[in-house]
Amino acid sequence: MKMLEGKVALVTGGGQGVGQGIALALAAEGARVAVAGRTIAALEQTCAQIAQRGGTGLAVTCDVTDPADIERCVAQVVDAFGGLNILVNNAQIIPLGRILEVTDEDFSKGLDSGPMATVRLMRACYPHLKGDGAVVNLASSAAVRWDASGYGHYAATKEAIRALSRGAACEWGPDGIRVNVIAPLALSPGLRGWMDAYPDEAAAFVHSIPLGRVGDCENDIGRTVAFLVSDQARYLTGATIPLDGGQAHWG
């Protein structure tokens, strides 16, 4: 029997990159997976891959900065699949730039799509997760970089997500809900494009990773998430798991 047989998962930002890799890995372990995001064509492409492998996927359009859209998205998933056991908060607008460069508007977008969306989705899913639910939220090693120039606003949004996750893990543990965080380094389309455009810088970047490679979205990141939300990790909650090949120091 697969680890997630009979489970229902919702993955935001599931149309590409890390979100897609997580969705594929959850489906491979038997979960029925709803992928949410703003671009229906990308979501349907992920669902097509799930179907080709014999799984069940559902594409749900959702703007995670819109509270009403979040409520509708969760209701649509529960109506389609009869319940919800797993939530993965992956979607976020990334506010990169130096302190004097990032506008209030761009920072607000990062906050609205990051910690605000995370807590709203957790609240919306809470009634369905009670009893035997699991949440995985995404953080970033940007929060622990010594060379943090250009990452301050982004790191702030991700550290807020970590704080909310720890609070939820403590408050919702008695309700049978586990909440963990991953900080992934993965070969997303954006990172792949940068590496192709700047091969010398990319080589130095990869050299800084003790395991000597950038993580695969499905096989390295997605499979770990599948483990975290399974019964095999039933005593793990409130933790941050660095999935970065050992690159960042989380001491």
Side-chain angles (χ1 to χ4, degrees), residues 3-4 26 29 178 221-234 236:
M3 285 195 300
L4 303 177
L26 297 181
E29 287 298 336
R178 297 184 299 106
I221 310 305
R223 289 176 64 123
T224 300
V225 172
F227 165 76
L228 289 175
V229 300
S230 76
D231 288 342
Q232 295 186 30
R234 64 185 182 180
L236 180 64

Side-chain angles (χ1 to χ4, degrees), residues 79-101:
D79 183 63
F81 288 148
L84 181 60
N85 313 101
I86 298 162
L87 169 65
V88 180
N89 281 303
N90 166 69
Q92 183 177 351
I93 298 170
I94 300 174
L96 292 178
R98 294 175 178 270
I99 297 299
L100 297 178
E101 297 171 347

Side-chain angles (χ1 to χ4, degrees), residues 101-163:
E101 297 171 347
V102 177
T103 66
D104 286 356
E105 180 183 7
D106 287 342
F107 190 28
S108 292
K109 288 179 180 178
L111 291 168
D112 286 344
S113 63
M116 287 300 297
T118 295
V119 76
R120 286 168 175 161
L121 275 154
M122 287 197 298
R123 286 171 176 166
C125 293
Y126 170 80
H128 311 289
L129 297 172
K130 288 178 69 175
D132 185 25
V135 178
V136 172
N137 297 323
L138 269 72
S140 171
S141 62
V144 296
R145 292 177 62 136
W146 292 110
D147 55 336
S149 177
Y151 292 92
H153 292 83
Y154 177 50
T157 67
K158 288 302 191 182
E159 281 298 87
I161 288 173
R162 285 219 299 154

Side-chain angles (χ1 to χ4, degrees), residues 132-232:
D132 185 25
V135 178
V136 172
N137 297 323
L138 269 72
S140 171
S141 62
V144 296
R145 292 177 62 136
W146 292 110
D147 55 336
S149 177
Y151 292 92
H153 292 83
Y154 177 50
T157 67
K158 288 302 191 182
E159 281 298 87
I161 288 173
R162 285 219 299 154
L164 290 165
S165 301
R166 179 64 184 171
C170 294
E171 295 170 14
W172 294 356
D175 298 319
I177 303 172
R178 297 184 299 106
V179 184
N180 289 297
V181 177
I182 62 167
L185 172 60
L187 197 56
S188 64
L191 181 56
R192 185 187 297 276
W194 175 80
M195 293 178 72
D196 290 343
Y198 303 97
D200 292 339
E201 291 89 339
F205 176 75
V206 173
H207 184 70
S208 72
I209 304 170
L211 290 184
R213 63 183 178 85
V214 178
D216 180 80
C217 291
E218 179 181 355
N219 294 318
D220 294 317
I221 310 305
R223 289 176 64 123
T224 300
V225 172
F227 165 76
L228 289 175
V229 300
S230 76
D231 288 342
Q232 295 186 30

Side-chain angles (χ1 to χ4, degrees), residues 29-91:
E29 287 298 336
R32 289 174 290 167
V33 182
V35 288
R38 294 178 295 181
T39 307
I40 188 64
L43 301 174
E44 289 176 341
Q45 197 274 335
T46 297
C47 290
Q49 289 192 50
I50 291 173
Q52 287 170 3
R53 302 179 183 191
T56 301
L58 174 69
V60 183
T61 56
C62 181
D63 179 353
V64 299
T65 67
D66 184 340
D69 218 22
I70 285 174
E71 295 288 343
R72 178 199 55 77
C73 170
V74 173
Q76 185 175 342
V77 174
V78 172
D79 183 63
F81 288 148
L84 181 60
N85 313 101
I86 298 162
L87 169 65
V88 180
N89 281 303
N90 166 69

